[in-house]
Amino acid sequence: MSVTDFKKEVHDTKVLDWAKDIINNSPSDRLVVDEVLNSVRRNEIWRGNECLNLLAPEAPTSPLVRELLSSEVGTRAAEGHIGKLERWFAGTQYIDEIEALCMELLKKAFGVNYADHRLVASMIGNMTVYNTLTKPGDNIMSLSQPFGGHSSNRYDGPAGVRGVNIYDIPMDSKELTVNMDEFEKVAREVKPKLVSLGASMTLFPLPVKEISNIVSEWGGKVFFDGAHQLGLIGAGLFQDPLKEGADVMTGSAGKTFSGPQSGIILWDDPELTESITETIFPTLAATHQVNRVAALAVAAAEFIAFGEAYMKQIVANAKALAKALNDRGVPVLGDHKGFTETHQVIADVSDFGGGYPVANLLAEANIIVNKNLIPKDRPEDWDEPSGIRIGTTEVTRLGMKESEMEDIAEYITGVIKGTSSTTHIKNKILDMRRNYNKLHYCFE
Ligand SMILES: *Cc1c(COP(=O)(O)O)cnc(C)c1O
């Protein structure tokens, strides 16, 4: 039987046609399996060993975490809460142990009263927050995309699905933080039930306390979406949103926290415990991948042991890389504030053709970054933004320090200014990766 022709697709049909060709022309099902394995292997060799991966949302997981992701427990069903009576299925006593260890390790790593480990993505955590703290028709405030706002807190994500009205948090494009005078004006007018802070483009802490003080006058809550900064927050290096007045925080386990890709939700207020826990199950998670939970438990233990040193070096490397790029004539945002307090460096590459061509050119040289909207862009410039976003998590875990950031800045500048060929820089990166292929900040 052949795969049917496409009627209408959102995905790129050229790539789907490539796959269809292979499936329809393969002499056996076994050979199709080989094609899947080949793609996995090609990616592992290229992205795993030959590239400088500078994507801000990525982190390499430790060998132990990776091993656990294929463990037997990942085939088991364990819907429900921890404990024999709380489960739908029998036979879960060891799964209860794994999940309890994970939950308690997360509480310890972040110094919080409550944590949940069952979110297969941080998006699900954000849906949990909107379901718990808002009702359809409520007003909320969140960050627009040119200031790093994420779709999950906008109309096209969980916030939109919940049916809330979204007002932009007014930002100061120079200081890259909230414009508090303007915020107060808008907030007093629309009286948001929830203010969603935290962003995908994140350089500096946000005024959680000041915002919480204002919206608490009418019982408004503050949510910090710490997807990117989760590890930095856990290590005490960024800001501590829950201690500063946020009611709930979510985060991606696979970004700076460097665990298996999935989500974490944290809170301190016992009053929120039932509604959050019962939104996660039975509303948003059922079979929640216990192999992933085991991997998350180990990632949390590694974070407790090595997180502070690891996260400190991530930020030191980001500052060094930002300065080195800026010194070489690639304008980096946040110049007057020390460039960054996170793992991210945001460069304005509009003089070099813009974010999309620059990111693709860098990829030809095995340097992987992403195109990014920056404050001077409009939200609809999404396809052709002015900036690129660079993250230092992976290169840090590979053992690189400030002096390697100088080399990386030299390579990036060579490519985007066209003073070096992509082939020349690609060979430099291949050499560099031969010396940096072992993961640090984890148990042997
Ligand atoms: C990445 C990101 C998310 C989504 O996280 P996933 O774990 O990929 O679901 C949500 N919010 C922000 C701000 C993000 O950057």
Short mmCIF file of all heavy atoms in Angstrom, two decimals, residues 376-417:
data_model
loop_
_atom_site.label_atom_id
_atom_site.label_comp_id
_atom_site.label_asym_id
_atom_site.label_seq_id
_atom_site.Cartn_x
_atom_site.Cartn_y
_atom_site.Cartn_z
N LYS A 376 13.35 46.03 18.27
CA LYS A 376 13.03 46.94 17.17
C LYS A 376 12.17 46.28 16.08
O LYS A 376 11.70 46.95 15.17
CB LYS A 376 14.31 47.52 16.57
CG LYS A 376 15.14 46.56 15.73
CD LYS A 376 16.39 47.30 15.21
CE LYS A 376 17.06 46.57 14.09
NZ LYS A 376 18.36 47.14 13.74
N ASP A 377 11.96 44.96 16.15
CA ASP A 377 11.13 44.26 15.17
C ASP A 377 9.65 44.34 15.54
O ASP A 377 9.29 44.57 16.70
CB ASP A 377 11.52 42.78 15.11
CG ASP A 377 12.92 42.57 14.55
OD1 ASP A 377 13.30 43.30 13.63
OD2 ASP A 377 13.62 41.67 15.06
N ARG A 378 8.79 44.09 14.54
CA ARG A 378 7.37 43.96 14.81
C ARG A 378 7.06 42.46 14.96
O ARG A 378 7.80 41.64 14.39
CB ARG A 378 6.54 44.51 13.64
CG ARG A 378 6.75 45.99 13.38
CD ARG A 378 6.22 46.35 12.01
NE ARG A 378 6.79 45.46 10.98
CZ ARG A 378 6.31 45.33 9.75
NH1 ARG A 378 5.25 46.01 9.38
NH2 ARG A 378 6.89 44.50 8.88
N PRO A 379 6.01 42.08 15.72
CA PRO A 379 5.72 40.65 15.90
C PRO A 379 5.58 39.93 14.56
O PRO A 379 5.96 38.77 14.42
CB PRO A 379 4.39 40.65 16.66
CG PRO A 379 4.30 41.98 17.32
CD PRO A 379 5.08 42.94 16.47
N GLU A 380 5.05 40.62 13.53
CA GLU A 380 4.84 39.96 12.23
C GLU A 380 6.13 39.77 11.44
O GLU A 380 6.14 39.16 10.38
CB GLU A 380 3.76 40.69 11.41
CG GLU A 380 4.00 42.16 11.16
CD GLU A 380 3.42 43.08 12.27
OE1 GLU A 380 3.35 42.64 13.44
OE2 GLU A 380 3.07 44.22 11.95
N ASP A 381 7.27 40.29 11.96
CA ASP A 381 8.56 40.07 11.30
C ASP A 381 9.14 38.70 11.63
O ASP A 381 10.32 38.43 11.36
CB ASP A 381 9.58 41.15 11.72
CG ASP A 381 9.18 42.54 11.27
OD1 ASP A 381 8.48 42.64 10.24
OD2 ASP A 381 9.54 43.52 11.95
N TRP A 382 8.34 37.84 12.22
CA TRP A 382 8.78 36.55 12.75
C TRP A 382 9.70 35.77 11.81
O TRP A 382 10.70 35.20 12.22
CB TRP A 382 7.53 35.70 13.06
CG TRP A 382 7.84 34.51 13.89
CD1 TRP A 382 7.90 34.46 15.26
CD2 TRP A 382 8.17 33.20 13.43
NE1 TRP A 382 8.24 33.21 15.66
CE2 TRP A 382 8.42 32.41 14.57
CE3 TRP A 382 8.29 32.60 12.17
CZ2 TRP A 382 8.76 31.06 14.50
CZ3 TRP A 382 8.64 31.26 12.09
CH2 TRP A 382 8.87 30.52 13.25
N ASP A 383 9.37 35.77 10.48
CA ASP A 383 10.17 35.01 9.52
C ASP A 383 11.52 35.66 9.24
O ASP A 383 12.47 34.98 8.89
CB ASP A 383 9.42 34.89 8.18
CG ASP A 383 8.34 33.84 8.25
OD1 ASP A 383 8.44 32.96 9.13
OD2 ASP A 383 7.40 33.90 7.44
N GLU A 384 11.56 36.98 9.33
CA GLU A 384 12.76 37.72 8.93
C GLU A 384 13.16 38.70 10.02
O GLU A 384 13.17 39.92 9.80
CB GLU A 384 12.48 38.50 7.63
CG GLU A 384 11.93 37.65 6.50
CD GLU A 384 12.99 37.37 5.45
OE1 GLU A 384 13.68 38.31 5.05
OE2 GLU A 384 13.15 36.19 5.07
N PRO A 385 13.50 38.20 11.20
CA PRO A 385 13.81 39.11 12.30
C PRO A 385 15.23 39.69 12.17
O PRO A 385 16.01 39.21 11.36
CB PRO A 385 13.71 38.22 13.53
CG PRO A 385 14.09 36.87 13.03
CD PRO A 385 13.63 36.80 11.59
N SER A 386 15.52 40.67 13.00
CA SER A 386 16.83 41.35 12.91
C SER A 386 17.92 40.67 13.73
O SER A 386 19.09 41.00 13.57
CB SER A 386 16.71 42.78 13.43
OG SER A 386 15.73 43.48 12.72
N GLY A 387 17.54 39.78 14.64
CA GLY A 387 18.54 39.29 15.59
C GLY A 387 18.86 37.81 15.47
O GLY A 387 18.22 37.06 14.74
N ILE A 388 19.91 37.44 16.19
CA ILE A 388 20.16 36.02 16.45
C ILE A 388 20.31 35.84 17.96
O ILE A 388 20.72 36.77 18.67
CB ILE A 388 21.42 35.46 15.73
CG1 ILE A 388 22.68 36.27 16.06
CG2 ILE A 388 21.20 35.35 14.24
CD1 ILE A 388 23.98 35.60 15.59
N ARG A 389 19.94 34.65 18.43
CA ARG A 389 20.07 34.32 19.85
C ARG A 389 21.11 33.21 19.98
O ARG A 389 21.07 32.21 19.27
CB ARG A 389 18.72 33.86 20.40
CG ARG A 389 18.74 33.55 21.89
CD ARG A 389 17.37 33.13 22.39
NE ARG A 389 16.89 31.93 21.69
CZ ARG A 389 15.83 31.23 22.08
NH1 ARG A 389 15.13 31.60 23.14
NH2 ARG A 389 15.46 30.15 21.41
N ILE A 390 22.04 33.42 20.90
CA ILE A 390 23.14 32.49 21.10
C ILE A 390 23.11 32.04 22.56
O ILE A 390 22.94 32.87 23.46
CB ILE A 390 24.49 33.20 20.81
CG1 ILE A 390 24.48 33.82 19.41
CG2 ILE A 390 25.66 32.25 20.98
CD1 ILE A 390 25.67 34.73 19.14
N GLY A 391 23.27 30.75 22.81
CA GLY A 391 23.25 30.25 24.19
C GLY A 391 24.54 29.49 24.52
O GLY A 391 25.11 28.84 23.64
N THR A 392 24.96 29.58 25.78
CA THR A 392 26.25 28.98 26.14
C THR A 392 26.14 27.70 26.98
O THR A 392 27.14 27.22 27.51
CB THR A 392 27.11 29.99 26.94
OG1 THR A 392 26.34 30.45 28.07
CG2 THR A 392 27.51 31.17 26.09
N THR A 393 24.93 27.14 27.10
CA THR A 393 24.77 25.97 27.98
C THR A 393 25.62 24.78 27.52
O THR A 393 26.40 24.21 28.29
CB THR A 393 23.28 25.57 28.05
OG1 THR A 393 22.52 26.73 28.37
CG2 THR A 393 23.05 24.52 29.11
N GLU A 394 25.47 24.39 26.25
CA GLU A 394 26.14 23.17 25.79
C GLU A 394 27.67 23.32 25.78
O GLU A 394 28.38 22.43 26.25
CB GLU A 394 25.63 22.75 24.40
CG GLU A 394 26.35 21.50 23.90
CD GLU A 394 25.56 20.73 22.85
OE1 GLU A 394 24.32 20.79 22.86
OE2 GLU A 394 26.18 20.04 22.03
N VAL A 395 28.16 24.43 25.24
CA VAL A 395 29.62 24.58 25.18
C VAL A 395 30.22 24.60 26.59
O VAL A 395 31.34 24.14 26.81
CB VAL A 395 30.07 25.81 24.36
CG1 VAL A 395 29.77 25.60 22.88
CG2 VAL A 395 29.46 27.10 24.86
N THR A 396 29.45 25.10 27.56
CA THR A 396 29.94 25.11 28.94
C THR A 396 30.01 23.69 29.49
O THR A 396 30.99 23.30 30.12
CB THR A 396 29.03 25.98 29.83
OG1 THR A 396 28.96 27.29 29.28
CG2 THR A 396 29.56 26.05 31.26
N ARG A 397 28.96 22.90 29.22
CA ARG A 397 28.99 21.52 29.74
C ARG A 397 30.09 20.70 29.07
O ARG A 397 30.57 19.71 29.63
CB ARG A 397 27.64 20.82 29.57
CG ARG A 397 27.52 19.66 30.55
CD ARG A 397 26.15 19.09 30.74
NE ARG A 397 26.04 18.56 32.11
CZ ARG A 397 25.00 17.91 32.58
NH1 ARG A 397 23.95 17.70 31.84
NH2 ARG A 397 25.01 17.46 33.82
N LEU A 398 30.51 21.13 27.88
CA LEU A 398 31.63 20.45 27.21
C LEU A 398 32.97 20.91 27.77
O LEU A 398 34.02 20.44 27.33
CB LEU A 398 31.56 20.69 25.71
CG LEU A 398 30.47 19.92 24.96
CD1 LEU A 398 30.34 20.41 23.53
CD2 LEU A 398 30.73 18.41 24.98
N GLY A 399 32.95 21.83 28.73
CA GLY A 399 34.20 22.22 29.41
C GLY A 399 34.82 23.51 28.92
O GLY A 399 35.93 23.85 29.31
N MET A 400 34.12 24.25 28.04
CA MET A 400 34.73 25.49 27.53
C MET A 400 34.62 26.62 28.56
O MET A 400 33.69 26.68 29.34
CB MET A 400 34.07 25.90 26.21
CG MET A 400 34.31 24.89 25.10
SD MET A 400 33.73 25.50 23.52
CE MET A 400 33.63 23.95 22.61
N LYS A 401 35.63 27.50 28.49
CA LYS A 401 35.69 28.64 29.43
C LYS A 401 35.79 29.94 28.64
O LYS A 401 35.70 29.95 27.41
CB LYS A 401 36.92 28.47 30.33
CG LYS A 401 36.90 27.18 31.17
CD LYS A 401 36.37 27.46 32.57
CE LYS A 401 35.89 26.19 33.29
NZ LYS A 401 36.95 25.26 33.67
N GLU A 402 36.09 31.04 29.36
CA GLU A 402 36.09 32.37 28.74
C GLU A 402 37.01 32.46 27.52
O GLU A 402 36.68 33.12 26.53
CB GLU A 402 36.48 33.45 29.76
CG GLU A 402 35.40 33.78 30.79
CD GLU A 402 35.45 32.87 32.02
OE1 GLU A 402 35.95 31.73 31.90
OE2 GLU A 402 34.97 33.30 33.09
N SER A 403 38.20 31.83 27.58
CA SER A 403 39.13 32.00 26.46
C SER A 403 38.58 31.34 25.18
O SER A 403 38.80 31.83 24.07
CB SER A 403 40.51 31.46 26.81
OG SER A 403 40.44 30.08 27.04
N GLU A 404 37.84 30.24 25.33
CA GLU A 404 37.22 29.62 24.14
C GLU A 404 36.12 30.51 23.57
O GLU A 404 35.82 30.44 22.38
CB GLU A 404 36.65 28.24 24.47
CG GLU A 404 37.69 27.14 24.63
CD GLU A 404 38.44 27.22 25.94
OE1 GLU A 404 37.82 27.59 26.96
OE2 GLU A 404 39.66 26.92 25.95
N MET A 405 35.51 31.35 24.44
CA MET A 405 34.47 32.25 23.94
C MET A 405 35.08 33.28 22.97
O MET A 405 34.44 33.69 22.01
CB MET A 405 33.75 32.98 25.10
CG MET A 405 33.04 32.04 26.06
SD MET A 405 31.83 30.92 25.28
CE MET A 405 32.56 29.33 25.67
N GLU A 406 36.32 33.67 23.23
CA GLU A 406 37.02 34.57 22.29
C GLU A 406 37.16 33.88 20.93
O GLU A 406 36.92 34.49 19.89
CB GLU A 406 38.43 34.89 22.82
CG GLU A 406 38.45 35.72 24.10
CD GLU A 406 38.25 37.21 23.85
OE1 GLU A 406 38.51 37.66 22.71
OE2 GLU A 406 37.82 37.90 24.79
N ASP A 407 37.57 32.61 20.94
CA ASP A 407 37.70 31.88 19.68
C ASP A 407 36.36 31.79 18.95
O ASP A 407 36.28 32.02 17.74
CB ASP A 407 38.20 30.44 19.93
CG ASP A 407 39.59 30.43 20.58
OD1 ASP A 407 40.32 31.44 20.43
OD2 ASP A 407 39.93 29.42 21.24
N ILE A 408 35.30 31.47 19.73
CA ILE A 408 33.98 31.33 19.11
C ILE A 408 33.54 32.66 18.48
O ILE A 408 33.02 32.70 17.36
CB ILE A 408 32.93 30.83 20.14
CG1 ILE A 408 33.28 29.40 20.59
CG2 ILE A 408 31.52 30.89 19.57
CD1 ILE A 408 32.40 28.86 21.71
N ALA A 409 33.78 33.77 19.20
CA ALA A 409 33.41 35.09 18.67
C ALA A 409 34.17 35.37 17.36
O ALA A 409 33.61 35.90 16.41
CB ALA A 409 33.71 36.18 19.70
N GLU A 410 35.42 34.96 17.33
CA GLU A 410 36.24 35.14 16.13
C GLU A 410 35.64 34.35 14.95
O GLU A 410 35.53 34.87 13.84
CB GLU A 410 37.66 34.64 16.47
CG GLU A 410 38.75 35.02 15.50
CD GLU A 410 39.05 36.53 15.47
OE1 GLU A 410 38.94 37.19 16.54
OE2 GLU A 410 39.36 37.02 14.38
N TYR A 411 35.23 33.11 15.20
CA TYR A 411 34.65 32.28 14.15
C TYR A 411 33.33 32.87 13.65
O TYR A 411 33.08 32.96 12.45
CB TYR A 411 34.41 30.84 14.64
CG TYR A 411 35.66 30.13 15.12
CD1 TYR A 411 35.61 29.19 16.14
CD2 TYR A 411 36.90 30.42 14.56
CE1 TYR A 411 36.75 28.54 16.58
CE2 TYR A 411 38.06 29.78 15.00
CZ TYR A 411 37.97 28.85 16.02
OH TYR A 411 39.09 28.22 16.47
N ILE A 412 32.46 33.25 14.61
CA ILE A 412 31.15 33.80 14.23
C ILE A 412 31.34 35.07 13.40
O ILE A 412 30.72 35.24 12.34
CB ILE A 412 30.30 34.10 15.50
CG1 ILE A 412 29.88 32.80 16.18
CG2 ILE A 412 29.06 34.93 15.14
CD1 ILE A 412 29.11 32.98 17.49
N THR A 413 32.21 35.95 13.87
CA THR A 413 32.43 37.21 13.16
C THR A 413 32.99 36.96 11.77
O THR A 413 32.57 37.59 10.80
CB THR A 413 33.41 38.11 13.96
OG1 THR A 413 33.05 38.06 15.33
CG2 THR A 413 33.33 39.53 13.50
N GLY A 414 33.92 36.02 11.67
CA GLY A 414 34.51 35.69 10.36
C GLY A 414 33.43 35.28 9.37
O GLY A 414 33.43 35.72 8.21
N VAL A 415 32.49 34.45 9.81
CA VAL A 415 31.42 33.98 8.92
C VAL A 415 30.48 35.13 8.56
O VAL A 415 30.19 35.37 7.39
CB VAL A 415 30.62 32.83 9.56
CG1 VAL A 415 29.40 32.48 8.72
CG2 VAL A 415 31.50 31.60 9.75
N ILE A 416 29.99 35.86 9.57
CA ILE A 416 28.92 36.82 9.23
C ILE A 416 29.45 38.07 8.55
O ILE A 416 28.73 38.71 7.80
CB ILE A 416 27.97 37.13 10.41
CG1 ILE A 416 28.63 37.92 11.52
CG2 ILE A 416 27.41 35.88 11.00
CD1 ILE A 416 27.68 38.14 12.69
N LYS A 417 30.74 38.39 8.76
CA LYS A 417 31.30 39.52 8.01
C LYS A 417 31.86 39.08 6.66
O LYS A 417 32.29 39.91 5.86
CB LYS A 417 32.41 40.19 8.82
CG LYS A 417 31.90 40.97 10.02
CD LYS A 417 33.03 41.76 10.64
CE LYS A 417 32.47 42.77 11.63
NZ LYS A 417 33.57 43.48 12.32
#
